[in-house]
Amino acid sequence: MAINWSKQKILFELRQRGLNAATVAAKARISRYTVYGGMERPYPKVNDLIAEALGVPRQIIWPQFYDADGRS
C-alpha cells in the first residue's frame, strides 16, 4: 500500500519549484496554515492547490486519501 507524502517532502518539492506554503495560500487567498493543514489531512480544495503547484495529480501525493481516479 502506498503512503502519503510527508509534509516535509511536500515542502521540499514546493521549494524545488521556487514556491512555499505562503505563495500557494496567497494565490488562493487563504491562510498558509490552511495549506499546512491540507498537507496532512484530506482537504480536497487545498490538496488540489498543492498538487497543481507541484504539477502532480493529488492521488500521487495522497494515495491514502484518493483512489487512482483522484476521487475521495
Side-chain angles (χ1 to χ4, degrees), residues 4-17 19-20 35-36 38-40 47 50-51 54 61-62:
N4 293 340
W5 290 10
S6 68
K7 182 176 171 181
Q8 291 78 17
K9 177 173 175 60
I10 294 169
L11 289 170
F12 174 80
E13 294 294 334
L14 285 170
R15 285 188 200 110
Q16 289 293 304
R17 291 160 177 81
L19 303 169
N20 58 37
V35 174
Y36 289 135
M39 292 180 186
E40 300 177 314
N47 297 154
I50 295 167
L54 295 175
I61 303 170
W62 297 281

Side-chain angles (χ1 to χ4, degrees), residues 9-67:
K9 177 173 175 60
I10 294 169
L11 289 170
F12 174 80
E13 294 294 334
L14 285 170
R15 285 188 200 110
Q16 289 293 304
R17 291 160 177 81
L19 303 169
N20 58 37
T23 57
V24 173
K27 181 179 176 186
R29 296 183 179 180
I30 59 176
S31 164
R32 71 174 185 246
Y33 300 108
T34 303
V35 174
Y36 289 135
M39 292 180 186
E40 300 177 314
R41 290 185 289 285
Y43 193 158
K45 177 184 174 184
V46 176
N47 297 154
D48 285 343
L49 292 170
I50 295 167
E52 181 183 323
L54 295 175
V56 177
R58 68 182 181 180
Q59 62 267 29
I60 300 296
I61 303 170
W62 297 281
Q64 294 172 314
F65 300 159
Y66 303 103
D67 65 16

